[in-house]
Amino acid sequence: MKLEELRKIRERAEAEMRLRAGEARVKIVVGMGTSGIAAGARQVLRAILDEVAQRNLRDVLVTQTGEKGLSAKEPLVEVHEPGRITIYGEVDEATARRIVVEHVLHGRILEDHLVELREVPR
Amino acid sequence: MVEDLAFHLADLVENAIRANASFVEIELRREGPDFFLRLRDDGVGMDEEARRRAADPFFTTKPGRRIGLGLALLRQTAEELGGEFRLNSQPGWGTEVEVRLPWAHPDRPPLGDLPGTLIPLIATSPVEFRLVFRDDRTAWTLDTREMKQALGEVPLSHPEVLSFLEGEMRKALADLGWKEAG
C-alpha cells in the first residue's frame, strides 16, 4: 500500500473540500448484518458509493449499520435529511441507484420501496 | 445458498462491529495446500456458554432474530471440506475466528469479490482495520489508521480513495495469483 498516493489524493481532495465548506446535507445508511449481506447489501452499499461518486455528490455521507429487526425487508437503506428519515426496503442495486438519483438528487420519494417515513425534530 | 468467502468475511466484520470492537484484524493466507482466513477483534468477547453456542446454527445474540447462521455456516463449510474451524474468545479480550480450508478442494467456496466487498465495508465502518493478504513469497497490508493519518480530514469513503484502494487490492490479489477474486 503506497501511502504516498493517499497523500496526493489528500492534497487534491482538501482543496476541493475547502471550496464547498459545509456539513453533509444527507446521510445514507445501509443496513448490513448477516441477512442483509446475504440479501445483497454488499452490492447495494457499493452501488450507492458508486452513484454518489459518479454524480459528484460531495454533501452526501454514506455509512452502514447492523440489523434492525426488519429482516424480511432487507436490504434496508435509510436516507437521513433534516426533519425526516426515509426507510426503503428490499433494495437491490438498481433501486439503490434510483434512491441516489431520484430521492437524494431530486427529492422524490420512491413509493414502491418505501417502508417508513419518519418525521424527526430538526 | 452458496456463500463465497467475501460473504463470510463481511459477516464476521459485522459480528465484530456488533460486539463493539474498535479494531479488527483480518488475515488471508495461502500456505502450501491450505488457505487460512483469520479475523480477530477487540470487542466484548464471549463467555464459555456463548462460545459453545456461537457456532450452533440455532443460536444468536442478535436481538429480534432466532437464528444466526454466520459462524455456523463457516464452521460447517470448513468441516465438510476436511479443514478446521477455531474460535477463541474471552470476555474483555475479544474474539478470534480462524478457518483452514484446502485451497484446491473442488467444493471450496470461491473467494468472491473481495475488493468490492471489503473496501466499501471498511470505508464506511466506524472500526479501524488491519488487513493482510499473504503467501510464502509476498504480503500486502492495508491499515486504516495509517491511511487516515495520510488522508487527514479526507474520509476513506471519498470516491478517489475508494477507487484507489480497490485498485490496490486487485493488484495485490493478482500478484498473489488469487485470480478468481477479481
Side-chain angles (χ1 to χ4, degrees):
Chain A
M1 173 68 59
K2 294 183 210 79
L3 292 173
E4 194 43 48
E5 280 300 314
L6 289 177
R7 290 190 193 99
K8 284 185 204 153
I9 294 174
R10 174 187 181 167
E11 281 172 27
R12 284 198 296 275
E14 275 183 345
E16 183 190 281
M17 283 160 75
R18 273 195 297 277
L19 283 178
R20 73 191 153 91
E23 289 291 296
R25 178 180 64 91
V26 181
K27 186 166 82 172
I28 305 178
V29 185
V30 180
M32 301 301 288
T34 310
S35 50
I37 295 166
R42 282 185 287 172
Q43 291 79 357
V44 167
L45 178 62
R46 197 167 179 215
I48 289 175
L49 285 168
D50 181 54
E51 204 63 44
V52 166
Q54 274 188 32
R55 294 178 186 272
N56 206 22
L57 304 177
R58 299 300 164 88
D59 57 352
V60 176
L61 178 75
V62 183
T63 172
Q64 55 169 294
T65 180
E67 270 150 83
K68 288 274 176 85
L70 274 166
S71 303
K73 297 266 185 197
E74 279 174 345
L76 291 165
V77 173
E78 302 174 0
V79 181
H80 294 233
E81 294 160 295
R84 70 175 186 187
I85 298 174
T86 313
I87 304 174
Y88 292 110
E90 297 174 88
V91 177
D92 59 10
E93 207 179 313
T95 311
R97 292 183 188 276
R98 281 177 58 213
I99 291 172
V100 176
V101 178
E102 291 179 34
H103 183 145
V104 176
L105 201 57
H106 297 295
R108 288 193 298 265
I109 286 177
L110 279 64
E111 300 290 344
D112 52 339
H113 283 271
L114 184 63
V115 173
E116 195 185 333
L117 183 60
R118 201 181 292 159
E119 304 285 327
V120 289
R122 280 170 187 262
Chain B
M1 195 157 61
V2 176
E3 266 76 31
D4 53 37
L5 294 175
F7 162 85
H8 284 298
L9 275 175
D11 188 50
L12 292 173
V13 167
E14 289 303 315
N15 286 345
I17 294 173
R18 203 175 296 106
N20 287 325
S22 57
F23 180 63
V24 174
E25 187 175 45
I26 298 170
E27 187 187 58
L28 300 183
R29 184 171 93 246
R30 173 114 189 253
E31 210 178 272
D34 291 316
F35 188 72
F36 293 87
L37 181 158
R38 187 176 65 85
L39 185 140
R40 158 94 163 97
D41 72 54
D42 64 352
V44 293
M46 291 180 263
D47 60 17
E48 197 186 335
E49 170 71 2
R51 252 193 335 267
R52 195 173 59 75
R53 295 171 68 191
D56 176 329
F58 299 103
F59 175 74
T60 180
T61 58
K62 296 167 203 168
R65 292 189 63 218
R66 277 160 305 171
I67 301 178
L69 283 174
L71 277 176
L73 262 175
L74 186 57
R75 177 185 170 180
Q76 191 190 347
T77 301
E79 288 175 355
E80 277 173 6
L81 302 182
E84 265 176 288
F85 172 92
R86 278 195 315 119
L87 176 66
N88 295 323
S89 189
Q90 290 291 337
W93 179 80
T95 298
E96 183 181 51
V97 178
E98 184 170 39
V99 294
R100 177 178 64 79
L101 303 169
W103 175 262
H105 196 293
D107 294 332
R108 173 180 60 79
L111 294 173
D113 183 4
L114 289 171
T117 296
L118 290 176
I119 297 298
L121 211 54
I122 287 173
T124 58
S125 157
V127 174
E128 302 295 346
F129 285 87
R130 184 180 155 80
L131 184 60
V132 182
F133 294 169
R134 70 163 81 239
D135 63 10
D136 42 20
R137 289 177 305 119
T138 180
W140 180 81
T141 306
L142 177 159
D143 190 316
T144 55
R145 293 162 304 184
E146 280 176 15
M147 283 167 28
K148 284 176 186 170
Q149 229 176 355
L151 281 167
E153 294 292 301
V154 178
L156 289 178
S157 58
H158 188 283
E160 251 193 275
V161 179
L162 286 176
S163 51
F164 169 72
L165 294 177
E166 280 207 32
E168 289 292 298
M169 193 185 281
R170 285 189 202 284
K171 267 191 263 169
L173 290 166
D175 263 7
L176 285 156
W178 300 354
K179 288 202 187 78
E180 50 156 332

